[in-house]
Amino acid sequence: MRLSKSFIPTLKEVPAEASIPSHILMIRSGLIRQVSAGIYTWLPLGYKVLRQIMEIIREEMNAIGGQEFHFPGLNPKEIWEQTGRVEAFGDILFHIKNRDYVLAPTHEEIVAYHAKGSIVSYKDMPQIWYQIQTKFRNEPRPRSGVIRGRQFIMKDAYTLDKDNDGLDVGYALHDKAYRAIFDRCGLNYFIVGASSGAMGGSKSEEFMVKSSAGEDTVAYCEKCGYAANAEVAQSVAEPAKHHVESKAVYDISTPDVKSIDELCEFLKIDESETAKSRIYIHDGQPVLVLMLGNDEVNETKLGSVLGGVVRPAHPDELKEISGADAGSIGPIGFPHRVLADALLADGNNLYSGANKNDFHIGGLDLKRDVPKIEYFDLRTSESGEKCTRCGSLLEVFKAIELGHIFKLGTKYSEALGVNFLDENGKEKPVVMGSYGIGVDRVFACFIEQNYDEKGIVWKEPLSPFDIHLIGLNMKNALVSENCERIYIDLIAEGYEVLFDDRLDASAGFKFNDADLLGFPVQVIVGEKNLKDGKVELKNRKTGQKKVVELAKLADELKNPF
Ligand code: ATP
Ligand code: MG
């Protein structure tokens, strides 16, 4: 392709809207442009790479027996109501005004719709159905470029099986395909145990890349390989102390003391002597959740314990529910359900809120004072805590989710009546699995892992071109004639070549663009070397250069560095 005729709008400046390397470089190298928050156009060079990623995915999905579909993005709302997911997705679901449609954020419902009535016997399964399609999610905070968009491309696959053994096989096949896809894309990734979230179901794992730009937090044990999303991660942490002598409960006046830190400062006590209260609304009913010290409530764990719809209580609801505002709420006499983190199970002589503003209590003994309390693992693991498997120290860090595999089970088939007749003529719900890859995220994460101060550093097989051919002064006849010939020869050799044939761009400008675009090899053609029958090769990654004989260029390129 000739650069003079291509639309590759490179930018020298760092775009104001971008803060992470992949986002900056995708804009600067003319791969994407933003249309509106979280909505992007893929420009031709970007779309070329995106197609290559989709092709790798397609090949690996076909290799495990996947059959490619194209489901509609526009879905009747009714079918989403039947599975309860209009409510479960909440504001993330895009609704079409004046019509009962939604824009699909995923496709379990439509898969179930097609399976119903066409998968009638156990003989019709297993099935692996997949597609590579645009998804819509009204993300409240679109950011990091295409990593979190409101419209994005997902490869989503679904398995349909007669039983859990079949599901296990389909799940294992996807695990294998996903490893192959991410390996072929050249990504450094790892796999973590995950929560099934709004999707429902039993086992689920995520394919992650470590990144400070990530919105997921994972706990990782280098020693034994334990890796889990912080939403479900467990760790060994110091429990609340049990003192031999339990004090009686007493009020303490604590004017203006709101946070656990302020309470510890005011009373000169340690965080581990305090129990923090948070109020949630579960299916319309208040629930108090008690945590040790400054531990945060893990809302995913809380959601799994409670089921149904759970949300933090709004500040203006607190007083009516507990008699106090945030900062003074406590478990004694709380008129609704009280849950506590398991670390608090044996705690006594604790400090907590008094359920009246500007007061706390001391001498709290949970067994004695809150008899109906229920204990669960509700906390979020932190760096430096111990691995539950091997006792080594856990590392907790940010990561970006590339893909997710779920054992869904029968949630959707039951909701939508997708049944089949088994070997004994008995009617059963189809067992489903669901498997997603964010195609745009794969693209951006590759760049997050492959760039330097000059630009992107592509490698095979994702690089949009193999060779960047640079004609240094195209107004010079010797240079332009040779470039034209080299260009034709390289294409004949089977290379994909971007030819910088621009007449007016300076050498420095062309070099900067070539480094920014970052294809693996640059062939630099200038008058000086040509006079000796030579051209220069540059390895984009290492910066290494060598001058080679033009006559031997084809051979040299077979193993350039
Ligand atoms: P996240 O937790 O990041 O919101 P998710 O768990 O909701 O993602 P899934 O429903 O599992 O996502 O979707 C499958 C894949 O689609 C994800 O692994 C991710 O790579 C991609 N994906 C999800 N949401 C977005 C988005 N807003 N923009 C780009 N890709 C996305
Ligand atoms: Mg997910």
Side-chain angles (χ1 to χ4, degrees), residues 114-127 129 160-163 417-431:
H114 289 296
K116 185 175 178 166
S118 58
I119 302 292
V120 293
S121 153
Y122 69 96
K123 291 182 194 153
D124 297 329
M125 292 176 285
Q127 292 284 334
W129 295 358
L160 305 172
D161 282 283
K162 63 182 169 128
D163 54 22
V418 188
N419 297 317
F420 70 99
L421 294 179
D422 74 1
E423 289 88 336
N424 305 313
K426 202 174 152 221
E427 196 173 74
K428 284 189 176 160
V430 166
V431 181

Side-chain angles (χ1 to χ4, degrees), residues 492-541:
E493 290 278 332
Y495 293 108
E496 288 217 63
V497 185
L498 184 72
F499 174 18
D500 192 344
D501 60 340
R502 291 174 296 182
L503 278 179
D504 296 322
S506 70
F509 198 81
K510 289 187 175 190
F511 289 143
N512 286 343
D513 265 359
D515 284 346
L516 174 63
L517 296 177
F519 315 145
V521 176
Q522 296 170 13
V523 175
I524 302 158
V525 183
E527 190 183 5
K528 193 164 152 271
N529 279 329
L530 274 179
K531 281 187 174 151
D532 301 330
K534 291 183 173 162
V535 294
E536 191 175 33
L537 301 187
K538 178 175 162 185
N539 178 330
R540 166 65 183 89
K541 187 171 178 172

Side-chain angles (χ1 to χ4, degrees), residues 58-123:
R58 223 169 241 130
E59 283 172 20
E60 296 300 334
M61 286 305 300
N62 293 345
I64 61 163
Q67 304 159 80
E68 189 169 0
F69 281 63
H70 191 86
F71 302 116
L74 196 59
N75 288 189
K77 187 164 142 192
E78 193 193 352
I79 190 165
W80 284 81
E81 275 162 349
Q82 285 172 36
T83 58
R85 286 219 288 182
V86 171
E87 201 185 356
F89 268 102
D91 292 342
I92 299 243
L93 194 64
F94 277 110
H95 292 253
I96 304 287
K97 273 192 191 150
N98 305 326
R99 288 251 191 282
D100 285 336
Y101 292 114
V102 297
L103 292 175
T106 175
H107 275 90
E108 282 79 9
E109 277 75 1
I110 301 299
V111 166
Y113 170 83
H114 289 296
K116 185 175 178 166
S118 58
I119 302 292
V120 293
S121 153
Y122 69 96
K123 291 182 194 153

Side-chain angles (χ1 to χ4, degrees), residues 89 105-106 137 139 146-155 199 206-207 215-216 231 401-404 406 435-441:
F89 268 102
T106 175
R137 294 185 185 180
E139 301 281 2
V146 299
I147 287 176
R148 184 166 301 283
R150 289 194 164 127
Q151 164 171 340
F152 59 97
I153 298 171
M154 198 200 286
K155 186 291 299 174
M199 299 293 212
E206 290 165 336
F207 291 71
E215 289 183 59
D216 275 279
E231 291 179 340
E401 177 191 322
L402 290 173
H404 200 164
F406 294 93
Y435 316 86
I437 292 180
V439 182
D440 327 56
R441 275 195 196 174

